[in-house]
Amino acid sequence: MKAHPDRAAALALLRKYNHEPFHVQHGLTVESVMRWYAQELGHGEDADFWATVGLLHDVDFEQWPEEHCKKAPELLAEIGCGEELIHAVCSHGYGLCCDVEPTHEMEKVLFAADELTGLIGAAARMRPSKSVSDMEVSSLKKKFKDKKFAAGCSRDVIKEGAEHLGWTLEELMEKTILAMRACESQVAAELETL
């Protein structure tokens, strides 16, 4: 079993350095998506570790956007995060803001799904339901092709992420929609308590 801080400590660290509700929501969403992927891909025994990496992956982004993934190790050390967790967090910035390469399957999933959760979230907000519960891959693909929509979400990173995993873009989209569907109400409920 991999050593990692408990969730209360991880959430407290996220909230110490992230005050924008959007950033906290993104952390909670990626946490839940990573937990879902751990179960889905046969890493259930490491689901807490995958989830902690998801929760903390952007810990430094709000206050140090220019040092994203470079400031993170120092912040993560505050709650005793081990090398493996620090490497995993930093690896999602590979080729963008750092040179820590995603090597473990979990790191490849984080790299691929992180950016995609942003695109899915933006697409969900445009739907009459304001939800991912009725989203189909076909409608997401239309948003993906529209470069003006959620322009901050890098299509290249999403495509590269799918390639690293050996998945089609459709497969990555379908799985990530399912993951977000599974956690949407729980994330919304938790946000209201923070």
Side-chain angles (χ1 to χ4, degrees), residues 38-148:
Q39 304 288 358
E40 177 75 7
L41 299 174
H43 298 280
E45 73 283 358
D46 287 332
D48 288 345
F49 183 75
W50 284 47
T52 303
V53 170
L55 183 64
L56 293 174
H57 78 284
D58 276 349
V59 69
D60 62 358
F61 185 72
E62 186 179 304
Q63 293 190 30
W64 297 278
E66 302 304 314
E67 292 180 74
H68 185 37
C69 296
K70 295 183 181 78
K71 185 80 176 169
E74 177 189 327
L75 306 183
L76 295 169
E78 287 182 28
I79 58 168
C81 293
E83 282 303 312
E84 195 174 5
L85 193 144
I86 290 169
H87 185 280
V89 162
C90 295
S91 73
H92 85 278
Y94 180 65
L96 305 164
C97 55
C98 76
D99 55 4
V100 179
E101 190 169 356
T103 50
H104 185 279
E105 186 175 25
M106 177 261 289
E107 296 170 342
K108 293 176 183 180
V109 168
L110 177 64
F111 182 91
D114 172 33
E115 204 75 2
L116 185 54
T117 62
L119 186 69
I120 293 171
R125 287 191 289 279
M126 303 297 289
R127 301 178 71 74
S129 65
K130 302 276 187 252
S131 170
V132 80
S133 61
D134 55 358
M135 186 182 293
E136 298 297 332
V137 171
S138 55
S139 68
L140 182 62
K141 280 181 77 175
K142 286 191 188 100
K143 297 290 190 196
F144 184 87
K145 286 180 181 145
D146 176 3
K147 298 283 188 275
K148 290 188 187 80

Side-chain angles (χ1 to χ4, degrees), residues 10 42 105 183 185:
E105 186 175 25
C183 71
S185 57

